[in-house]
Amino acid sequence: MSSSASSSREPRRIQVSVRAKDLKNAASRFKKSDPYAVLTITGGPYDGRRLGRTETIRNNLSPDWCKIFLVDYWAPGTYCPITIGIFDDNGDKNTDPMQARSDRPGEADVGMGEATCDLHEMIDSPGNERSVDLPHEGRIFMHAVDSVGHSGGGSS
């Protein structure tokens, strides 16, 4: 088998990062929200697969999360919508905000907005970034780039 035929069967490993701007405050009027994001594939062959959760950023309505999500992308134009849910972390404030406790929202956490963008739209956009307005207030930015030196394999 030629090397081009075998390489076409390996996915591109894509790094997805997320940030938000001007989120609506879901906390009391005397403090700011502590947002985090949960990313889920919501269509295509991996529908329902949860990619994970970012760290919580305390008292911030324009967070730029550090967490990078790896997604295997099999072919250009493949349908792979990613939904980003933003939540106000109302859990234990004594835990390290850089440590994600779970990839699911906590019982006391409040939704701050949700947006969906297809992975190929991110990859094909200028600067590999797409932004989506949230229904009430704010905007989510999603950035996708090829992972350097990936070796194929399963989705992370």
Side-chain angles (χ1 to χ4, degrees), residues 40-50 79-81:
T40 307
I41 296 175
T42 53
Y46 297 107
D47 186 30
R49 183 171 187 282
R50 195 171 297 272
Y79 183 61
C80 186

Side-chain angles (χ1 to χ4, degrees), residues 131-152:
S131 65
V132 178
D133 287 328
L134 294 171
H136 300 290
E137 190 174 331
R139 178 172 275 252
I140 295 176
F141 298 83
M142 296 153 279
H143 185 78
V145 295
D146 276 304
S147 183
V148 177
H150 85 279
S151 60

Side-chain angles (χ1 to χ4, degrees), residues 19-49:
R19 65 185 175 92
K21 185 174 180 183
D22 300 326
L23 295 172
K24 183 175 182 177
N25 192 20
S28 70
R29 59 183 205 169
F30 299 111
K31 64 178 213 142
K32 287 184 184 171
S33 292
D34 304 322
Y36 66 90
V38 175
L39 279 70
T40 307
I41 296 175
T42 53
Y46 297 107
D47 186 30
R49 183 171 187 282

Side-chain angles (χ1 to χ4, degrees), residues 46-64:
Y46 297 107
D47 186 30
R49 183 171 187 282
R50 195 171 297 272
L51 296 175
R53 172 190 160 152
T54 66
E55 70 280 5
T56 296
I57 298 184
R58 303 271 185 236
N59 302 312
N60 193 318
L61 299 178
S62 292
D64 189 353

Side-chain angles (χ1 to χ4, degrees), residues 68-85:
I68 302 292
F69 301 90
L70 295 176
V71 181
D72 287 341
Y73 187 61
W74 289 92
T78 300
Y79 183 61
C80 186
I82 298 175
T83 297
I84 298 92

